[in-house]
Amino acid sequence: MKRLSRRTFVLSGLATAGAVALPLTSAQAAVPFPFKLGVASGEPASDSVVLWTRLAPSPLNADGQGGMANADVTVDWQVSTTDTFSSLVASGSVTARYADAHSVHVVAGGLAPDAEYYYRFRAQGHLSPVGRTRTAPAPGTVGRNLVMAFASCSHYESGYFTAYRRMAEDRPDLILHLGDYIYEGGPGSSGVRQHAGAEIVSLADYRRRYAQYKSDPDLQAAHAIAPWLVVPDDHEVENNYANMVRNDSSPVLTAAQWTARRTAAYRAYYENMPLRPSQAPTGNSIPLYRRVNWGTLATFHMLDTRQFRDDQACGDGWKVCAAADTASRSLTGAAQEAWLLDGLAQHYGTWDILGQQVFFARQYDAGGAANMDAWDGYRASRSRIQQGWIDRSVRNPLVLTGDVHAAWGNDLKADYASSSSATIGTELVCTSITSGGNGSTTTTIPNAGTNPHLKFYSNLRGYVRTTISPAQVRADFRAVSSVTEHGAAATTLKSFAILDGQPGLRAL
């Protein structure tokens, strides 16, 4: 048989490298293919990476177990420097437990720093698709330039996940997902495709919803091409929730039912993401804010802006709200804020990158109203963090943001009310993968007159591709022309550079 190319292995979502050399017995062939949710890797360190898969031959079964029997299953895993797996650098076996919806999180250790690897799984006589992953540079070294893409907001019903496919075709070294990986609502009447089942509340519901999203071949391609760093936003649980406070009463839940819903959501999130075992949830809490060092090139400070925040001021929404200035209000919670400022003081890397969920820069409309769910609703919290990086002489603070279904490029200011205020950092906001539908081609910056620090805007769907070197971060805002038609091409709408030691966007 003709040998498959590396590109076919990684992007098809269906290839099983070496399968022709490992024929199935008749008994094995009768077992349905269990790897219909693909493979993933994440949390790269200089010597290890997390490998993930979940067995689900019938992903949309309502019980959330993906068609698997009530029994644990042994899963073998392999890591190689080649996609033919001619020699192995790491291998082993792990138990996929029925209690965990047959998900596995393998910490593959003993790997070389700043290196590319391929991995696969075998279970019930079947080989999984092949994934490509890589490790971070060794501590104290810069390593190669880093191509990092980031994305958010992939609503299944709103369109096809073509942007994930285009991201995979860029072959990045690392992918950040900044929230709204799934949406919790029930099926709509006008979407390109439909959610299975009603609005998700139970653990079985959340498991099935993840399985539906992960069955998408374009999403599988993006997971298979590079390791991911992930943080959730609101829709992984419920729209605009704040800590233990719900945004509204739909669906009607008792306090105990709401706690159970949050618990189920966090558990399903962990089961379906390439996270380390140390990030497993405990009850209705999950430890997700963390730091990932990429040699001396970059430090990723991954934030959680949902689990510990105060309730939105003035009842949420766009408001003129004096309470948003209350000094005690926090979007991160006191412990996470202290952890962030302590990490920024360490100067681990040339670039300090905050991976987080909601709009960071000030954005007032002409009447002075602002989004109470974003950092504008927690202005003292934002000021403490910005002043914190000034006081700690952080050379290159870069904030990465999702949530708002549009792409933005923003200069961050010491004093947003002063037109002469110094630029002290940069924010890049990715648009959605699909949420909001096709969007529009307008590039007119909303509220530009009251916010001159907002430098770029697009309402199309896509992602941001960055190339990070010691001298600069290049940011390419990438967009697809349509999400309601499958297979649209991607184009670069605008490129900017952020120079070392010179915060702010420079058009290329």
Side-chain angles (χ1 to χ4, degrees):
M1 294 180 70
K2 182 179 178 181
R3 182 179 176 273
L4 296 174
S5 69
R6 174 179 298 183
R7 180 180 180 84
T8 302
F9 278 127
V10 176
L11 294 185
S12 71
L14 299 173
T16 52
V20 294
L22 295 166
L24 301 179
T25 66
S26 57
Q28 291 168 336
V31 177
F33 183 68
F35 295 108
K36 291 185 178 178
L37 306 185
V39 299
S41 68
E43 301 299 308
S46 61
D47 60 353
S48 66
V49 69
V50 175
L51 309 179
W52 174 94
T53 195
R54 178 181 161 200
L55 309 181
S58 300
L60 297 187
N61 282 13
D63 65 358
Q65 291 293 345
M68 294 293 292
N70 186 356
D72 298 343
V73 176
T74 298
V75 178
D76 302 319
W77 58 272
Q78 298 176 327
V79 179
S80 177
T81 55
T82 68
D83 58 19
T84 62
F85 293 83
S86 55
S87 63
L88 302 181
V89 297
S91 62
S93 297
V94 65
T95 300
R97 302 188 185 281
Y98 180 83
D100 301 325
H102 293 96
S103 62
V104 298
H105 300 76
V106 175
V107 180
L111 306 180
D114 203 17
E116 180 177 276
Y117 292 99
Y118 295 86
Y119 64 94
R120 66 182 179 183
F121 299 90
R122 182 179 176 117
Q124 298 182 319
H126 292 278
L127 280 170
S128 76
V130 172
R132 167 184 174 259
T133 192
R134 64 162 294 174
T135 52
T141 66
V142 176
R144 295 169 284 171
N145 290 351
L146 171 64
V147 178
M148 181 273 294
F150 66 98
S152 71
C153 302
S154 48
H155 191 288
Y156 186 83
E157 295 192 325
S158 295
Y160 298 104
F161 292 165
T162 308
Y164 281 138
R165 174 72 60 169
R166 300 296 169 250
M167 187 189 306
E169 291 168 350
D170 287 342
R171 296 182 64 84
D173 303 306
L174 182 67
I175 292 172
L176 271 58
H177 199 285
L178 302 180
D180 296 343
Y181 184 96
I182 63 165
Y183 280 71
E184 79 279 18
S189 59
S190 59
V192 173
R193 43 192 184 172
Q194 281 198 325
H195 281 147
E199 179 161 343
I200 55 177
V201 175
S202 69
L203 179 58
D205 294 339
Y206 280 97
R207 285 170 168 173
R208 179 163 69 157
R209 184 61 53 85
Y210 277 103
Q212 183 173 28
Y213 278 57
K214 284 181 168 292
S215 297
D216 184 275
D218 295 331
L219 175 54
Q220 289 187 17
H223 270 302
I225 199 65
W228 283 40
L229 296 177
V230 300
V231 283
D233 192 17
D234 53 340
H235 288 288
E236 288 89 349
V237 181
E238 180 179 282
N239 181 49
N240 277 22
Y241 80 99
N243 198 328
M244 292 303 296
V245 181
R246 301 181 69 195
N247 182 59
D248 56 37
S249 59
S250 178
V252 175
L253 300 174
T254 66
Q257 288 171 330
W258 159 239
T259 300
R261 182 184 195 178
R262 202 177 101 142
T263 300
Y266 289 160
R267 180 172 177 179
Y269 185 80
Y270 174 76
E271 289 175 348
N272 286 279
M273 293 292 137
L275 292 164
R276 291 182 180 266
S278 60
Q279 292 151 350
T282 301
N284 70 344
S285 178
I286 184 170
L288 285 176
Y289 66 83
R290 61 203 187 277
R291 245 181 299 280
V292 175
N293 293 322
W294 200 267
T296 60
L297 180 64
T299 304
F300 293 93
H301 309 265
M302 304 301 289
L303 304 187
D304 180 343
T305 62
R306 285 290 162 192
Q307 198 172 178
F308 309 106
R309 65 158 70 193
D310 291 306
D311 192 15
Q312 292 92 343
C314 295
D316 204 356
W318 277 73
K319 302 283 178 61
V320 176
C321 179
D325 287 312
T326 303
S328 61
R329 289 180 53 73
S330 176
L331 192 60
T332 61
Q336 184 177 190
E337 182 179 304
W339 166 88
L340 174 60
L341 294 177
D342 178 67
L344 291 172
Q346 305 306 313
H347 304 288
Y348 294 118
T350 299
W351 303 92
D352 279 290
I353 300 174
L354 281 61
Q356 59 93 49
Q357 295 82 353
V358 294
F359 208 87
F360 190 85
R362 191 197 79 170
Q363 186 191 181
Y364 289 176
D365 68 14
N371 182 0
M372 294 297 101
D373 189 57
W375 288 87
D376 275 328
Y378 304 79
R379 293 191 276 267
S381 186
R382 177 176 60 202
S383 294
R384 287 192 299 270
I385 289 172
Q386 289 197 160
Q387 189 61 47
W389 75 52
I390 293 171
D391 294 344
R392 289 157 178 78
S393 301
V394 176
R395 184 174 177 83
N396 294 304
L398 174 59
V399 179
L400 307 182
T401 301
D403 182 60
V404 294
H405 307 172
W408 296 77
N410 306 324
D411 290 347
L412 302 177
K413 296 291 185 175
D415 180 2
Y416 291 99
S418 172
S419 59
S420 61
S421 179
T423 298
I424 59 167
T426 314
E427 180 180 24
L428 303 174
V429 184
C430 62
T431 184
S432 66
I433 293 293
T434 59
S435 302
N438 286 326
S440 67
T441 58
T442 181
T443 57
T444 301
I445 299 173
N447 304 312
T450 51
N451 303 282
H453 53 280
L454 307 180
K455 302 298 185 182
F456 172 76
Y457 171 82
S458 170
N459 192 34
L460 292 173
R461 308 295 156 236
Y463 58 97
V464 179
R465 179 182 63 201
T466 66
T467 304
I468 305 172
S469 72
Q472 70 171 25
V473 172
R474 176 190 172 112
D476 300 316
F477 287 91
R478 303 270 291 160
V480 296
S481 57
S482 172
V483 297
T484 55
E485 297 179 6
H486 193 256
T491 58
T492 297
L493 301 175
K494 188 76 174 179
S495 296
F496 293 91
I498 307 159
L499 304 182
D500 174 35
Q502 303 178 49
L505 293 166
R506 289 162 172 80
L508 296 176

